Amino acid sequence: MLSVHAIDAAYGDSQVLFGMSFEIGAGEFVTLLGRNGMGKTTTVRAIMGILPVRAGKILFNEEPIHTLPSFRIAKAGIGLVPEGRQIFPNLTVRENLIATAAPPPAGHQGWTMDRVIDLFPALGERLTSMGNQLSGGEQQMLAIGRALMTNPRLLILDEATEGLAPMVRAEIWHCLENLKEEAQAILVIDKNVDALTRIADRHYIVEKGAVVWTGTSEELRADEGIQHQYLGV
Ligand SMILES: Nc1ncnc2c1ncn2[C@@H]1O[C@H](COP(=O)(O)OP(=O)(O)O)[C@@H](O)[C@H]1O
Ligand SMILES: [Mg+2]
């Protein structure tokens, strides 16, 4: 579904990605792991067309997307829950959810406001609250709900559980497990290796702008050396 082929990307003169490569198949739950500053968010920015790709290519359903503007990439079916959430603070919860909503691909059930509220009942009680009146956990649920309302074929979550209380975090993992059961393709970037090796299929460890290790959840759990060397676990 998504194929990132040896991409380079930079901020001005400062190159951050050096031949970053990985793949996500239909219905797969894949993670990018690695310490802070290794280039995970930069990879997401390159995928979403926020940062230009200087070398290599990115294919989505076989089509090159690394030359497209961001709105076309979103429209092609990639939904992002960005680092730091970035919900609209001066829109209500309802307005946040419908602001970027898009219909599902033909023949798919698709996400609606009702389904998002079923997934996160807390949001249903806050539909008329402004984005900036929500707790951190509610904001994160809103950011996920908003991404789902675009009916993405691939959902990307960048540090979605950062700064959340353990119970809210658990709720988000639970939600992602449910999405996985519906065969939603998911890319997660997060620090919670324990939770992710329970629910994800495969992992890529990123170090200085390239993938240095890849394997299944079972392989990662079994390899304490790798976890220690690259994740500081
Ligand atoms: N907007 C930016 N301008 C310049 N350098 C940046 C910018 N954003 C990130 N960087 C640098 O790029 C590197 C990778 O950052 P990032 O992709 O955010 O890492 P990660 O998400 O893995 O923590 C870091 O050295 C960071 O300082
Ligand atoms: Mg990041």
Side-chain angles (χ1 to χ4, degrees):
M1 172 171 265
L2 181 76
S3 180
V4 174
H5 273 287
I7 62 166
D8 290 356
Y11 298 100
D13 291 338
S14 157
Q15 187 172 346
V16 172
L17 300 185
F18 298 87
M20 167 70 72
S21 295
F22 66 94
E23 298 201 339
I24 306 171
E28 260 199 314
F29 189 141
V30 170
T31 79
L32 294 185
L33 305 172
R35 295 198 185 89
N36 284 338
M38 291 302 165
K40 303 178 301 294
T41 296
T42 302
T43 301
V44 170
R45 290 189 187 129
I47 293 169
M48 297 309 295
I50 299 164
L51 189 67
V53 169
R54 295 200 177 172
K57 58 183 179 178
I58 304 175
L59 303 180
F60 186 58
N61 294 317
E62 251 95 280
E63 301 286 334
I65 58 166
H66 55 281
T67 49
L68 299 179
S70 290
F71 78 94
R72 295 270 311 274
I73 295 168
K75 234 176 142 188
I78 305 185
L80 173 64
V81 180
E83 197 173 38
R85 298 168 195 135
Q86 299 175 27
I87 56 164
F88 303 116
N90 300 321
L91 296 185
T92 64
V93 167
R94 183 194 299 278
E95 289 164 343
N96 264 280
L97 287 173
I98 58 179
T100 55
H108 287 252
Q109 181 191 10
W111 286 93
T112 57
M113 180 104 61
D114 286 347
R115 281 196 68 210
V116 167
I117 292 167
D118 279 348
L119 188 68
F120 295 123
L123 286 184
E125 288 157 29
R126 310 230 45 187
L127 284 176
T128 56
S129 303
M130 303 301 263
N132 59 12
Q133 296 174 320
L134 304 180
S135 69
E138 287 168 341
Q139 286 186 26
Q140 194 61 66
M141 290 170 198
L142 179 55
I144 296 172
R146 185 179 63 176
L148 288 173
M149 291 281 286
T150 69
N151 282 294
R153 296 161 84 171
L154 170 64
L155 177 65
I156 302 179
L157 298 103
D158 190 358
E159 308 280 5
T161 67
E162 166 112 59
L164 298 183
M167 266 177 62
V168 183
R169 186 174 287 168
E171 203 172 324
I172 293 195
W173 297 136
H174 185 63
C175 149
L176 293 183
E177 278 181 279
N178 288 341
L179 292 177
K180 177 176 158 57
E181 271 166 34
E182 296 181 26
Q184 170 75 55
I186 304 174
L187 174 65
V188 167
I189 294 160
D190 206 280
K191 300 268 163 356
N192 289 272
V193 179
D194 274 353
L196 288 173
T197 54
R198 271 187 283 109
I199 57 180
D201 299 309
R202 296 189 299 112
H203 309 270
Y204 292 90
I205 297 182
V206 178
E207 179 91 353
K208 296 186 185 143
V211 168
V212 290
W213 183 91
T214 181
T216 62
S217 284
E218 212 169 27
E219 287 163 343
L220 182 56
R221 256 196 315 265
D223 199 332
E224 282 175 18
I226 285 286
Q227 291 194 40
H228 183 70
Q229 183 177 357
Y230 294 116
L231 307 176
V233 177

